[in-house]
Amino acid sequence: MKLKGFLGYLRRNPALGGGLGVLLFLLLFTTVGRLFIDPDHAYAMSVPINRPPSAEYPFGTDSQGKDLFAGMVVGTGMTLTIGMTAGAIGLGIGALLGFTSGYYGGVFDTIVKFIVDVLLTIPSFLLLLLIATTLADPSALRPMQMALILSIVAWVAPTRTIRSQVLSMKERAFVMMAKLNGMSGMEIILKEMMPNLLPFLAISLAGAVSGAVLGSLGLEALGIGNRREPTLGMMIFWVRYYAAFIRGMWWWILEPVVAIALVFTAFLLISIGLDEMANPRTRRKV
Amino acid sequence: MTRLIPLRYFLHRTLYLVAVLWVAATLNFVLPRLAGRDPILERLTELEASIGGHRGLWVAEAIDSYREWAGLNQPLWGQYVQYLQNMLNMDFGYSFSRNRPVWDVVSYALPWTMGLLGTTTFISFALGTFAGGLSAWRRQDRLLNVSVSLLMALAVIPPFIIGLVLADTLAFRLKLFPIAGMFTPGRFVDLGDIEWWLDVLHHAAVPALALLLGTAGSWAMGMRGMMVTVLGSDFIAFAEAKGVKRLRLILSYAIRNVMLPQTTLLAMSLGSLVSSVTLVEIMFGYPGVGSILESAIRAFDYNLIQGCVFFLILSIGLATFVLDLSYPLLDPRISYRKQT
Amino acid sequence: MSERQNGPLLQVRDLKVYYHVEAGAVKAVDGASFNLRSGKKMGLVGESGSGKSTMALAMMRMIKEPGRIEGGQMILDGIDLVSLSEEQMRQTRLRRLAMIPQGAMNSLNPVMRIDRQLVDGMIDHGITFSRDERDDRIEALLRSVDLDPKVAKMYPHELSGGMKQRVTVAMSIALEPDLVIADEPTSALDVVIQRRVMETINRIQDELGLAVILIGHDMGLMAQSVSRLAVMYAGKMMEVGDTVDMFREPLHPYTQLLIESLPVLDNKGVFSGIPGITPSLLNPPPGCVFHTRCPKAWDLCREEIPEFAEVAPRRWVACHLHTAS
Ligand SMILES: Nc1ncnc2c1ncn2[C@@H]1O[C@H](COP(=O)(O)OP(=O)(O)O)[C@@H](O)[C@H]1O
Ligand SMILES: [Mg+2]
């Protein structure tokens, strides 16, 4: 029943439907796809090198001897996992800071707002670069360490969005009522505001995840990250390292590029769709 | 001046700029110490151990001058004060991988990066804004809709990934454009020479195209959404009821108001634009700050990494500052509205 | 100003405006007719959603997608507005007919000073003036709506809601049009200010001899300031007549219900409203659109659409009670 209503809604909100569809496809590709590959072949020196796509290696192989089909299945999953982990942590911190600072206001809010604004001006990628190069051995970062580093900047945008939503919601009648009824601040945040802000939390999450993926791609393309793992960003790094262009290995370039495009398309469409859900533009004024 | 730009607002924005720069400088100082290491000293010591003899002597000297520059014999807060003083004096230390002061290396590359970034952002912003606005105005136009949608689809892909594909096709396969450098090797910089400029453009064309294709769509998307909102607003309807001419309706009423959120969008995007230009440069070996950054990372030249990052942040800080100051000129409400 | 005594200033004939939405055509105005003599003030009343704003926009020829004027005529001083070109219509706006908007809060361009917004419409109608003439004109206009001339140099956000509404009034009368359409001009303001702004509008109407169409949903309020009333229901005209006659003897059952439901002053009766819900404009009921809520409906009402007919001099009604013989 509920599922049917949801599917019906997706029909009216094609952006959300399309975005979730692409995301579902990617998730299936990385999970169900594992049934068709040998995960070991996603790593170097497991298959013959430099093979164009063929029946045996449908995605071809690279110059390190990875089966790119296996590499794409494992790597896309890894990149999504990194992005989602960092995005989720970022949203968690963002929600905590956004709700408390927006709701309670005062000096705490002023400080949070100031820090957020300053950090929004500083390009997060450069910040990540600085952190990644000073904190650890750049070429041996494990995926989860990468996710943690990415989450250091992933909370900024969600904090900003959630805080401004809380600020505008604070003035609304039902929050005032709850306050008059003697609900505590935490209760109001959890019981009254949270449910109403769900679409905005979801938008923030989508933004945070795609921001984190972008960050991981940028770092990995520079070789910062685990060079052993076949993440999408690392593929880009090796493509450049082995100058795949000069050697005409188009498949090696094209595959990660398509996967990356799909990932970002999915999250963009999802946030456009969620935005439509949160404030329907088609709502007509009379 | 204060009539156009309210003093309070001006001071507020200045405070911001200072805060951004202070945070940038402090991060450079704090991060390695948080990690409990001094990567510069480590690297120099490593080098000293690996190269002996005559050149080893040079490294030993470098270590001494680094100690002095960083004030390593002082307590932590003293080191910090000295660090900030160095920054204020534009003294960013020494890049051992380039064997030159960091300032020299970065200041040579910065104009190329800013030139590439400034030009492409200007073109992309103008083009995207125009296309987006037009497509909101003429929603029936098929060709327009298709091309704007295409731009929007491209904007989903990070510019450096687009760059990768363009480098493969335009530069390597079709050999239409050079693959690296900012002008043909061996040429001398000659600002008065048209051919030199053409050569520069030729070298910058593909990276610029990557940035353009990767960003124009997002301006178009923002513009279209906001234009649709503004066109549906009460004051547009009332202006139409007043019988103002169509051109005035578009320029003084619609565009004038859409430019406010559009400028905000531009200011907010500067950070990601700089990240993009850095990565695009690296993809093409375009020798701006991005490429220097990459080679600094390869050489573990932390002084240079920090210098590059600081200068990029400085540039963004200044650009944001200028945009912020232009805002009250666009929107008379700015001094009244609370900043959010 | 028009001196025509014979014949109406405005004749609306069988006007139809439909919004073409996914589910079909919303018949927001479906065959409405009425006349208005110059210098007179007419009230257009009806529940929300009955098509009043659509009617106002249609008269300004400002119906936007997905809406369209499907048919009918709007003859203003001998010229059919429906047949004018875009550019001719633009020139007609402000000069011949003007509008006072519903939401004065957002009806002014936020980034332009009041004086420029006051004159740009005039300039686009070919008026040229010297600097001094311009300033004098602005001052006179602002004074005529009881505003301080200093307002000229201000931005909209520096004005209160009432002041903004006065500014829009000043703009609409800048070229002394024959007809001003005011769509619930004060509904967004608080009661005291509402009254004062209405007083200003009434005074100006007297001074300039404008014809005014005042749109509202409160029949009682309306009765105090207009000489003629037009009652709309579900996109159709139900009854048109002089205010006094209509209150003395309402002919249409809908009008009767509207008047009965008015709160009586002394016993502070509750506003009862009219039972039932407004019909869908996508699939209007067959026959008379009001029959679903009409206490006096009979078979004919469910089958045949009543004709909108002049049952007494200058008294029009669309109801089988009065037209079926
Ligand atoms: N842009 C539009 N698209 C679709 N339907 C519309 C549009 N504008 C108005 N309507 C419909 O037309 C009818 C009349 O609306 P309106 O003229 O605003 O009524 P009123 O001003 O009397 O409240 C309503 O049913 C409304 O839903
Ligand atoms: Mg209305």
Side-chain angles (χ1 to χ4, degrees):
Chain A
M1 270 314 282
K2 265 198 153 165
L3 184 72
K4 217 171 188 183
F6 181 64
L7 289 180
Y9 176 73
L10 288 188
R11 188 169 292 194
R12 272 173 291 133
N13 190 340
L16 188 59
L20 288 176
V22 177
L23 187 60
L24 189 68
F25 168 77
L26 286 169
L27 291 178
L28 287 178
F29 176 73
T30 63
T31 49
V32 179
R34 281 184 181 265
L35 301 177
F36 301 92
I37 58 153
D38 177 352
D40 289 341
H41 288 181
Y43 294 88
M45 294 189 287
S46 56
V47 293
I49 60 170
N50 302 341
R51 295 283 166 90
S54 64
E56 195 182 359
Y57 303 109
F59 283 36
T61 69
D62 73 0
S63 300
Q64 285 185 315
K66 293 181 199 146
D67 174 4
L68 284 172
F69 183 35
M72 290 300 293
V73 168
V74 174
T76 307
M78 219 168 246
T79 294
L80 280 176
T81 310
I82 292 175
M84 288 178 179
T85 310
I89 298 176
L91 180 74
I93 301 174
L96 191 69
L97 285 178
F99 275 113
T100 48
S101 81
Y103 185 81
Y104 292 106
V107 186
F108 178 61
D109 180 48
T110 313
I111 295 173
V112 169
K113 181 184 173 319
F114 193 80
I115 295 177
V116 165
D117 280 351
V118 168
L119 286 184
L120 278 175
T121 309
I122 297 176
S124 51
F125 173 66
L126 295 182
L127 209 53
L128 286 173
L129 202 66
L130 217 52
I131 295 168
T133 47
T134 30
L135 288 195
D137 177 7
S139 56
L141 276 176
R142 268 174 295 135
M144 276 308 116
Q145 290 175 318
M146 179 63 116
L148 282 181
I149 289 180
L150 291 166
S151 65
I152 295 177
V153 298
W155 59 274
V156 181
T159 305
R160 183 192 152 90
T161 315
I162 294 168
R163 177 181 169 276
S164 70
Q165 287 300 328
V166 169
L167 279 183
S168 72
M169 183 160 281
K170 213 162 72 166
E171 311 300 328
R172 299 256 292 276
F174 67 93
V175 175
M176 299 287 192
M177 281 305 293
K179 223 184 261 182
L180 287 179
N181 286 341
M183 272 183 146
S184 73
M186 262 306 147
E187 267 179 308
I188 294 179
I189 289 177
L190 290 176
K191 290 193 187 140
E192 300 290 329
M193 293 183 148
M194 203 70 119
N196 283 292
L197 287 182
L198 275 183
F200 291 98
L201 294 178
I203 294 175
S204 290
L205 181 63
V209 173
S210 79
V213 171
L214 182 62
S216 82
L217 292 180
L219 290 181
E220 289 170 354
L222 297 184
I224 300 170
N226 197 321
R227 298 206 178 160
R228 227 180 70 79
E229 301 290 350
T231 56
L232 295 180
M234 272 307 158
M235 291 223 194
I236 301 289
F237 174 75
W238 292 121
V239 160
R240 291 191 56 243
Y241 190 91
Y242 284 98
F245 317 106
I246 299 177
R247 302 154 63 212
M249 296 172 69
W250 53 268
W251 61 93
W252 193 7
I253 305 168
L254 209 61
E255 286 156 11
V257 168
V258 169
I260 288 167
L262 286 180
V263 170
F264 287 116
T265 307
F267 287 111
L268 183 75
L269 286 179
I270 288 174
S271 48
I272 291 177
L274 288 170
D275 190 52
E276 164 72 27
M277 194 159 137
N279 20 324
R281 192 174 302 184
T282 42
R283 206 190 281 154
R284 213 182 33 75
K285 58 183 167 97
V286 178
Chain B
M1 195 64 182
T2 46
R3 224 179 76 84
L4 293 176
I5 301 170
L7 186 65
R8 257 187 69 107
Y9 180 78
F10 180 83
L11 291 178
H12 197 251
R13 297 331 296 173
T14 312
L15 180 67
Y16 248 87
L17 176 63
V18 174
V20 166
L21 296 183
W22 174 74
V23 168
T26 304
L27 277 176
N28 276 345
F29 180 83
V30 169
L31 276 178
R33 285 167 177 81
L34 264 186
R37 50 191 285 226
D38 183 338
I40 300 172
L41 199 60
E42 280 172 28
R43 181 65 184 149
L44 285 173
T45 319
E46 228 175 84
L47 279 179
E48 189 183 28
S50 63
I51 2 181
H54 182 60
R55 290 188 56 217
L57 215 59
W58 170 81
V59 178
E61 252 170 53
I63 290 179
D64 284 343
S65 75
Y66 169 69
R67 279 180 186 286
E68 195 187 327
W69 177 80
L72 289 190
N73 49 357
Q74 300 174 44
L76 203 58
W77 65 268
Q79 294 177 24
Y80 184 52
V81 170
Q82 173 149 357
Y83 188 83
L84 290 183
Q85 267 171 4
N86 288 342
M87 295 281 128
L88 280 178
N89 296 332
M90 294 303 233
D91 179 2
F92 296 89
Y94 200 79
S95 159
F96 65 83
S97 72
R98 304 253 169 177
N99 215 349
R100 269 187 300 162
V102 167
W103 164 246
D104 284 4
V105 182
V106 179
S107 64
Y108 179 72
L110 201 60
W112 294 97
T113 298
M114 289 303 135
L116 184 61
L117 179 67
T119 325
T120 49
T121 301
F122 180 80
I123 298 175
S124 155
F125 185 74
L127 188 93
T129 301
F130 182 75
L134 205 63
S135 77
W137 190 261
R138 305 175 44 181
R139 266 184 276 183
Q140 321 298 338
D141 194 321
R142 266 291 180 79
L143 184 71
L144 195 65
N145 274 329
V146 169
S147 32
V148 170
S149 308
L150 209 69
L151 271 187
M152 290 183 187
L154 275 175
V156 164
I157 311 171
F160 77 95
I161 301 289
I162 297 182
L164 200 66
V165 178
L166 289 184
D168 181 41
T169 49
L170 294 182
F172 281 101
R173 276 172 203 278
L174 304 175
K175 309 233 179 319
L176 293 178
F177 293 95
I179 324 148
M182 47 223 191
F183 47 81
T184 308
R187 259 182 197 275
F188 290 104
V189 177
D190 181 0
L191 297 180
D193 180 2
I194 292 282
E195 267 190 35
W196 181 81
W197 280 105
L198 287 179
D199 189 46
V200 167
L201 284 183
H202 194 213
H203 279 78
V206 189
L209 189 64
L211 284 167
L212 199 65
L213 291 178
T215 54
S218 54
W219 306 127
M221 192 155 20
M223 183 70 179
R224 177 149 85 178
M226 284 178 292
M227 193 73 173
V228 168
T229 309
V230 166
L231 286 179
S233 63
D234 292 344
F235 66 85
I236 293 284
F238 185 52
E240 200 185 345
K242 280 198 304 186
V244 298
K245 288 186 177 155
R246 202 177 157 81
L247 193 64
R248 189 195 295 278
L249 194 67
I250 301 174
L251 293 180
S252 309
Y253 285 77
I255 303 269
R256 190 68 175 66
N257 278 283
V258 180
M259 283 326 283
L260 308 175
Q262 191 72 354
T263 311
T264 312
L265 192 64
L266 177 61
M268 303 244 312
S269 310
L270 286 176
S272 75
L273 285 173
V274 166
S275 309
S276 299
V277 82
T278 313
L279 284 163
V280 166
E281 277 182 2
I282 296 171
M283 292 298 126
F284 286 96
Y286 191 81
V289 183
S291 295
I292 294 195
L293 199 52
E294 190 200 24
S295 69
I297 291 170
R298 281 204 186 146
F300 302 98
D301 187 347
Y302 290 96
N303 251 346
L304 191 53
I305 297 178
Q306 293 181 352
C308 288
V309 169
F310 185 82
F311 270 96
L312 288 175
I313 293 175
L314 176 71
S315 317
I316 298 167
L318 286 174
T320 311
F321 183 65
V322 170
L323 275 179
D324 279 344
L325 288 193
S326 77
Y327 213 72
L329 307 180
L330 288 175
D331 188 352
R333 287 164 296 187
I334 199 76
S335 50
Y336 292 78
R337 196 197 295 150
K338 266 192 15 209
Q339 292 283 302
T340 44
Chain C
M1 260 162 293
S2 34
E3 300 298 334
R4 290 155 254 95
Q5 291 308 320
N6 40 354
L9 168 73
L10 174 73
Q11 286 174 282
V12 174
R13 287 284 157 269
D14 204 24
L15 183 67
K16 289 186 175 136
V17 185
Y18 297 171
Y19 293 102
H20 299 273
V21 296
E22 235 171 272
V26 177
K27 297 172 179 161
V29 173
D30 198 15
S33 306
F34 65 90
N35 292 343
L36 180 63
R37 290 199 283 177
S38 70
K40 293 291 183 201
K41 198 162 175 190
M42 186 183 90
L44 180 61
V45 294
E47 289 163 283
S48 145
S50 56
K52 306 178 301 287
S53 297
T54 304
M55 179 93 101
L57 287 175
M59 284 187 271
M60 298 298 298
R61 282 267 312 272
M62 281 168 47
I63 297 288
K64 293 273 153 8
E65 287 288 319
R68 210 182 306 145
I69 298 180
E70 301 288 328
Q73 294 174 306
M74 297 181 288
I75 300 167
L76 180 73
D77 202 12
I79 300 162
D80 185 3
L81 298 180
V82 178
S83 68
L84 292 184
S85 72
E86 260 312 310
E87 174 59 16
Q88 284 169 325
M89 189 60 218
R90 182 187 73 71
Q91 288 175 12
T92 307
R93 292 181 196 126
L94 200 68
R95 170 155 281 157
R96 310 302 310 270
L97 87 165
M99 189 167 95
I100 300 174
Q102 180 163 16
M105 286 328 263
N106 304 313
S107 286
L108 299 172
N109 185 348
V111 296
M112 204 189 268
R113 287 181 207 277
I114 300 300
D115 56 351
R116 278 194 58 200
Q117 300 195 51
L118 266 170
V119 294
D120 64 0
M122 294 191 238
I123 292 169
D124 283 357
H125 283 80
I127 312 275
T128 50
F129 22 45
S130 70
R131 241 209 118 69
D132 285 349
E133 281 167 357
R134 174 185 180 275
D135 292 347
D136 290 348
R137 189 88 184 82
I138 289 168
E139 184 175 339
L141 274 174
L142 289 175
R143 281 194 197 285
S144 76
V145 293
D146 305 319
L147 280 174
D148 190 311
K150 278 199 214 97
V151 166
K153 288 292 165 215
M154 296 190 182
Y155 285 103
H157 68 268
E158 299 169 86
L159 307 180
S160 72
M163 291 163 91
K164 280 190 224 175
Q165 189 58 287
R166 283 167 195 280
V167 169
T168 64
V169 173
M171 288 174 179
S172 68
I173 57 164
L175 293 182
E176 306 197 351
D178 306 320
L179 172 64
V180 171
I181 302 164
D183 187 355
E184 313 207 20
T186 56
S187 60
L189 305 176
D190 77 56
V191 189
V192 182
I193 298 169
Q194 251 181 36
R195 263 244 297 293
R196 299 232 296 271
V197 173
M198 269 323 290
E199 279 163 16
T200 306
I201 295 180
N202 288 336
R203 183 177 49 70
I204 290 174
Q205 189 237 342
D206 272 355
E207 283 171 16
L208 300 179
L210 304 170
V212 170
I213 295 177
L214 184 64
I215 295 175
H217 53 258
D218 187 337
M219 194 147 167
L221 250 172
M222 199 70 93
Q224 300 164 8
S225 60
V226 299
S227 57
R228 253 177 109 68
L229 268 175
V231 178
M232 257 186 115
Y233 180 80
K236 291 192 188 287
M237 228 24 120
M238 296 287 108
E239 184 169 3
V240 178
D242 285 344
T243 312
V244 192
D245 298 345
M246 216 124 103
F247 269 81
R248 191 181 300 137
E249 192 201 354
L251 293 180
H252 200 288
Y254 181 56
T255 321
Q256 288 164 12
L257 283 170
L258 277 180
I259 292 176
E260 275 166 29
S261 70
L262 287 178
V264 186
L265 257 178
D266 41 59
N267 69 7
K268 297 212 170 73
V270 263
F271 180 79
S272 51
I274 301 173
I277 49 158
T278 42
S280 146
L281 297 178
L282 270 169
N283 304 300
C288 171
V289 279
F290 188 56
H291 84 250
T292 52
R293 293 164 80 186
C294 183
K296 296 176 181 163
W298 40 299
D299 297 347
L300 185 60
C301 302
R302 293 181 194 99
E303 285 149 22
E304 197 175 302
I305 300 177
E307 186 194 344
F308 187 60
E310 191 167 20
V311 293
R314 309 197 346 97
R315 189 72 191 276
W316 298 71
V317 68
C319 178
H320 289 308
L321 282 173
H322 303 277
T323 51
S325 46

